[in-house]
Amino acid sequence: MPDALPCSLPDFTFEIAARQAGAFRIAGVDEVGRGPLAGPVTAAAVVLRAGHVPQGVNDSKKLTARQRDAAAAEIRACADYAVVHVWPAEIDRLNILRASHLAMCRALAQLHRPADFALIDGHMLPQGLTVSGQAVIRGDARSVSIAAASILAKTARDRLMVDLAQQFPGYGWESNAGYPTQAHRRALVELGVTPYHRRSFAPVHNMLCKDPSPTG
C-alpha cells in the first residue's frame, strides 16, 4: 500500500491501491470526539463511487463550518454512508480508544452494503474489525474517503451537541462541542455534572470524587 506524503487535497491514491489489490467496496472511516468531557465519540464510514469526489471534500479540520455542512450534503447525496455515536456510559466502561474503535466498527456494520476493505484514519486498526483494512496516519488529509468520513462525523456530532446544549444550557456545548474550554470547566463547577459527561475523564472524575451527590 502507498505511504505518500500528504498533498494539498486528499485523493484516491489509497483507494486505487486497495482496488488493484482486489478490493471492490472501499470504505473510509474516521472518528471525532475523543477529547471532549461531554457527549459521544462519533464515527462515520463512507463508500464513494470510484473516481467521484463530492465537491468540497477535504480534511474536516481545514474547512469552515459552512464548508463542512455543504460538503456533508454532497456526500450524503451520492455515497453509501453510516454515522454512529458511542455514548459516555460505554466510553467510561471501555476507555476512549476502545470506544472510538467500537464506533468505527459499528459504522462499517451499518453501511447499506458491506465494504470489503476499510481505510482507517490513524496509526492502528480497530480491534474487532471484520474486513481487511489499512491504517492511514493523517488519513483525513490523504484519502478522500477518509476525508468524507471525517466531515460526516464532525457535522453530525456538532449538530448533536447543539441539540444537547438546549437540554443543558450553560456549558457552552453549542460552541465548544463538549471540549474542556475554560467556560465549560467553570460551568462544571457551577452547575455540576450532567448525564452526558464522561465520568472517567479526569476533570469530571475529580469533581465526582469531591462531590458525593453530583447532578445527573
Side-chain angles (χ1 to χ4, degrees):
M1 291 293 175
D3 194 30
L5 293 174
C7 57
S8 57
L9 286 173
D11 59 26
F12 272 104
T13 299
F14 291 91
E15 289 84 346
I16 291 170
R19 190 164 286 111
Q20 290 174 342
F24 178 67
R25 281 179 54 82
I26 301 152
V29 187
D30 199 4
E31 53 76 27
V32 65
R34 288 196 188 192
L37 301 180
V41 61
T42 301
V46 176
V47 178
L48 296 172
R49 295 202 308 268
H52 180 75
V53 181
Q55 186 175 358
V57 172
N58 198 351
D59 177 355
S60 65
K61 297 183 292 296
K62 297 178 181 177
L63 302 176
T64 66
R66 180 174 294 181
Q67 289 171 331
R68 282 193 298 267
D69 287 342
E74 291 269 350
I75 295 162
R76 289 193 297 268
C78 71
D80 185 7
Y81 69 91
V83 178
V84 167
H85 305 293
V86 170
W87 294 92
E90 283 192 289
I91 293 171
D92 292 338
R93 179 171 61 85
L94 296 172
N95 76 44
I96 187 59
L97 176 61
R98 291 180 62 195
S100 299
H101 286 179
L102 177 62
M104 290 179 174
C105 291
R106 286 179 177 172
L108 279 166
Q110 291 186 21
L111 289 169
H112 180 65
R113 293 174 54 205
D116 57 13
F117 194 87
L119 294 169
I120 306 289
D121 184 54
H123 67 278
M124 63 187 300
L125 295 177
Q127 290 185 355
L129 188 66
T130 58
V131 299
S132 298
Q134 179 184 6
V136 183
I137 296 172
R138 296 185 62 190
D140 46 4
R142 303 169 72 185
S143 158
V144 69
S145 299
I146 297 176
S150 78
I151 289 168
L152 291 193
K154 170 70 173 167
T155 54
R157 189 180 187 281
D158 283 353
R159 285 194 303 271
L160 177 63
M161 294 308 295
V162 170
D163 291 342
L164 292 179
Q166 308 308 307
Q167 300 177 41
F168 294 91
Y171 298 89
W173 294 344
E174 68 278 7
S175 57
N176 63 42
Y179 282 86
T181 62
Q182 184 176 359
H184 189 179
R185 288 173 178 268
R186 184 169 59 249
L188 265 174
V189 174
E190 296 173 353
L191 301 175
V193 179
T194 75
Y196 293 103
H197 278 101
R198 302 174 182 179
R199 283 154 166 74
S200 58
F201 278 43
V204 181
H205 176 76
N206 293 341
M207 282 197 62
L208 292 172
C209 289
K210 293 177 183 177
D211 182 359
S213 57
T215 302

